[in-house]
Amino acid sequence: MAETRPHITISGDDRYGVVAATSHESHVADHMLRRVGFERLPDSNHYGLREPDRDPTRRGQQAVQSLRVAQYAVTSDAAYDVSVQAAPRTNRDPLVQLKNRSAALVARAGEAASARALDADIRAAQVVVHDQVRDPEGTLRAVGTDLRTREGLLLHGEGDLRFVESRLEHTSRAFDAFYAIPGNERRDPRLSMMQRAQAATAISPARAGAVLPQQPATAVAYRSATAPQQPTRAR
């Protein structure tokens, strides 16, 4: 199943601060970049972080994390890539440990921001949740539609901890993936609708073998007209 996952690159720029570029034009990527704080640069297909002088490194890291949580493939400079900055746990240097904890907090902050944005979209009816079920691990999984982009969504989690697991080109594909989740015993309602439609249009065996009654033929007999009798004259 193909997913809509535009490739995004985030890097530093001497003039505009933190900038982002997409590998191809996509209204979905444009929407997401604006959601995490970027805006289109004038006369360019690149994006710049709004208020570039306000804590650019931390905000760039949050943008990278939020985009990745939303299932977008992102490459970035090391300064904005928290995963690259994470050091092995065996390092007991207090400064390194402090940096690791800060990076983890930034990552969680980015995920929390993404979850809050998704929850707000659901409350505003911009994202519609069609069905949901708990998987064998107890995680709430759901299928929905982003009414702005017409994409199908697979969601996991709930409340302020609900995230977009994947974005699919059509809602029907999202339904296929949702009902294929291991442990999901829900019946696909589309199947029952198809069955009812087929039953309504099918010809039953009894009706198929029935013979319409023939209307009996009516015999019509024509009689020749008799000549009228001549009056008898008396002699």
Side-chain angles (χ1 to χ4, degrees):
M1 293 180 291
E3 297 183 17
T4 306
R5 302 179 61 182
H7 186 85
I8 300 174
T9 301
I10 295 180
S11 58
D13 182 84
D14 294 337
R15 181 179 179 183
Y16 294 106
V18 184
V19 296
T22 60
S23 60
H24 59 277
E25 290 291 332
S26 169
H27 69 281
V28 180
D30 178 88
H31 171 75
M32 285 303 302
L33 285 170
R34 294 178 188 277
R35 286 281 301 275
V36 297
F38 286 88
E39 60 185 0
R40 196 74 173 257
L41 295 175
D43 301 323
S44 173
N45 58 353
H46 291 178
Y47 299 77
L49 194 64
R50 290 189 289 269
E51 301 180 71
D53 297 329
R54 182 171 64 84
D55 202 0
T57 301
R58 180 184 62 82
R59 293 172 59 221
Q61 291 174 343
Q62 287 183 341
V64 170
Q65 287 299 114
S66 297
L67 290 169
R68 285 176 176 169
V69 168
Q71 300 296 308
Y72 289 90
V74 181
T75 58
S76 72
D77 290 349
Y80 312 116
D81 195 335
V82 176
S83 62
V84 173
Q85 297 178 7
R89 296 182 180 180
T90 55
N91 194 327
R92 297 185 179 181
D93 187 336
L95 292 178
V96 173
Q97 292 180 357
L98 179 60
K99 289 182 179 180
N100 290 343
R101 285 197 295 270
S102 298
L105 289 174
V106 169
R108 286 197 292 271
E111 293 178 355
S114 178
R116 286 195 299 270
L118 175 61
D119 186 59
D121 288 344
I122 294 174
R123 293 177 182 275
Q126 292 178 326
V127 171
V128 178
V129 177
H130 302 296
D131 200 357
Q132 55 189 15
V133 69
R134 292 194 182 276
D135 62 19
E137 297 178 357
T139 302
L140 189 66
R141 309 282 292 278
V143 59
T145 302
D146 189 327
L147 298 182
R148 297 159 298 189
T149 63
R150 299 299 177 182
E151 293 175 302
L153 304 178
L154 282 181
L155 310 175
H156 75 277
E158 50 194 304
D160 288 342
L161 297 177
R162 175 175 280 180
F163 305 98
V164 176
E165 181 176 325
S166 60
R167 290 177 172 269
L168 302 165
E169 185 179 1
H170 302 295
T171 301
S172 60
R173 293 186 176 181
F175 268 112
D176 293 338
F178 175 75
Y179 288 108
I181 293 174
N184 187 357
E185 298 180 355
R186 298 281 187 89
R187 282 181 54 85
D188 189 339
R190 296 173 299 171
L191 298 178
S192 58
M193 292 174 63
M194 292 175 59
Q195 291 169 352
R196 287 198 298 270
Q198 292 173 353
T201 57
I203 300 176
S204 67
R207 292 185 58 189
V211 178
L212 294 177
Q214 298 294 327
Q215 186 174 5
T218 303
V220 179
Y222 294 94
R223 296 182 179 178
S224 59
T226 57
Q229 292 182 353
Q230 296 297 325
T232 304
R233 293 182 181 182
R235 290 181 182 179

